[in-house]
Amino acid sequence: MVANPKRRIVEVAVLYLLLGVGAVATALPLLYMVSTALRGPVYVLEIPPRFIPERPTLANFIEAWNSNNFSLYFRNSAVVALSTTVISVLCSAMLAYAFARFEFPGKDLAFYAILFTLMIPSLTLIIPQFMLARALGLRNSLAGLVFVYVAMTIPLNTFLLRGFFEQLPRELEEAVWIDGGGYGTIFLRITLPLSAPALATAAIFTFLFAWEEFTWALTAIDVEAMRTLPVAIATFHGAHLTQWGLVFAASLIAIAPVIFLYVMLQRYFIVGLSAGALKG
């Protein structure tokens, strides 16, 4: 049965209309944040509001970066997020490869136990995490943040990577075995290079989580010099409650690395996410 061309045109038009409305609704808060950050203090609360500032300025960004040790907090977040991403993705890749290629007693039980941890609300773990960090001497340190963030991101990364690894052809590994290579050679020279989409997906999720996590950073860090950006922005908001241009400028500076990372790895993201989810 041939579809009615006019009906098809209407369906496509409605679809694009809904997508356009959704895109505008999603982008509107960000555009308003950018607009407010580019305004001087006098024009922030002007009525009627304007999305295009009459006199745009970067003064808010400069002041936000130079006040309240914001640059120090930015550096702390960068160290924590990058360290967490590297350690978590590497450990998850090794764990996922073991689940995808090896057979051992309790394999399914261990994998489902890891998946079960994804169902536990993170807030319920705050007290045991705090006691463990205090016992290990990791409180008020960036290492304590990385330790907990790695533990919290490994389950999801393992789930995604295992599904992707299971799709890789075993013939490539068998060829390495014939040439005298071992598991280390297979993992480093075959599995990881072919798994770039899945690794990029795991890296984006991990970096985003470590960069924006607030609750554990607020609980574990009492020393001002060890604070990360989410905690710093909360205190920054308190220090400049009515200066929304500064608050929004600081928020834009904070989300810039996440946007940059996503743009750089965008071509891998959808492929890695769909492959890992479908096979996992």
Side-chain angles (χ1 to χ4, degrees), residues 241-263:
L241 188 58
T242 59
Q243 300 185 43
W244 292 107
L246 288 177
V247 175
F248 288 161
S251 301
L252 287 172
I253 294 174
I255 66 176
V258 177
I259 297 176
F260 175 77
L261 179 66
Y262 179 78
V263 170

Side-chain angles (χ1 to χ4, degrees), residues 91 116 242 269:
C91 293
F116 176 75
T242 59
F269 183 73

Side-chain angles (χ1 to χ4, degrees), residues 178-202:
I178 294 175
D179 292 338
Y183 286 117
T185 303
I186 294 173
F187 180 73
L188 295 175
R189 298 189 178 183
I190 302 296
T191 303
L192 292 185
L194 292 177
S195 303
L199 294 174
T201 302

Side-chain angles (χ1 to χ4, degrees), residues 2 21 33 54 68 78 86 92 95 115 134 139 152 157 167 184 186 199 202 205 208 217 237 244 257 266-267:
V2 180
V21 172
M33 182 185 296
E54 183 177 352
N68 292 349
V86 172
S92 300
L95 188 59
L115 293 185
R134 184 175 60 180
R139 283 208 59 225
M152 296 178 69
N157 290 342
Q167 291 188 2
I186 294 173
L199 294 174
F205 281 140
L208 180 60
H237 182 280
W244 292 107
Q266 183 181 9
R267 59 175 179 160

